[in-house]
Amino acid sequence: MSPPKHRLNKLLHYQRHNTLLNYSLLIIYALAVTVLSLKPTVDVQNIPYNDKVAHCLTYALFTFFAWRLSPSRSAFLINALLVFAYSVLVEFIQPLTGRMLSGWDMVANGLGVILAALLITLTLHRVSFSTAN
């Protein structure tokens, strides 16, 4: 497959095909999310209501990094489902570290995955796989 001629398409093409960079970003991000998610909290009352927004954005970005490793839309769907499964796994491990299991956190995580998948599917896939010059 020859690289696209449009400047934005070139940028996305080369960034998505740098496997070492993409794996590194995903692994570093996954480790950061894991450490922050399993870190025991001090005071639950200080968590603002926008905690769910943070969950949503965290897993939307996680889904973006998973997209960068996806060679096709079907692979991206599988990777997005794996990101959500990972969020559920982390949520079930949290009680072992002194944190609470929260169904609403899982909903926010899933919403982040879905929103990112929709955004990527509707915009970035169209741009990066476009054949228009």
Side-chain angles (χ1 to χ4, degrees):
M1 174 164 120
S2 63
K5 294 181 181 178
H6 187 272
R7 228 180 294 167
L8 180 58
N9 287 346
K10 279 184 184 181
L11 176 66
L12 289 171
H13 174 81
Y14 288 119
Q15 282 187 349
R16 286 200 59 223
H17 291 86
N18 187 337
T19 307
L20 179 61
L21 173 67
N22 293 329
Y23 273 109
S24 299
L25 287 171
L26 183 68
I27 290 168
I28 290 168
Y29 191 77
L31 288 172
V33 167
T34 303
V35 167
L36 292 173
S37 296
L38 299 179
K39 180 181 174 185
T41 57
V42 177
D43 189 9
V44 179
Q45 293 176 354
N46 289 335
I47 298 175
Y49 288 105
N50 65 3
D51 170 58
K52 303 306 176 248
V53 173
H55 278 269
C56 186
L57 293 175
T58 297
Y59 282 93
L61 187 56
F62 208 148
T63 304
F64 173 76
F65 289 134
W67 166 74
R68 293 173 60 97
L69 290 167
S70 305
S72 66
R73 287 185 187 202
S74 58
F76 173 54
L77 176 62
I78 292 168
N79 286 345
L81 289 172
L82 288 172
V83 167
F84 178 68
Y86 183 77
S87 79
V88 171
L89 176 67
V90 167
E91 200 62 41
F92 275 98
I93 293 172
Q94 282 183 342
L96 302 174
T97 65
R99 296 187 67 168
M100 291 176 40
L101 172 71
S102 171
W104 289 113
D105 285 352
M106 285 188 255
V107 169
N109 297 345
L111 187 59
V113 171
I114 290 168
L115 290 175
L118 284 174
L119 181 67
I120 289 166
T121 300
L122 295 175
T123 58
L124 294 177
H125 271 288
R126 184 176 300 146
V127 171
S128 66
F129 294 120
S130 157
T131 56
N133 295 326

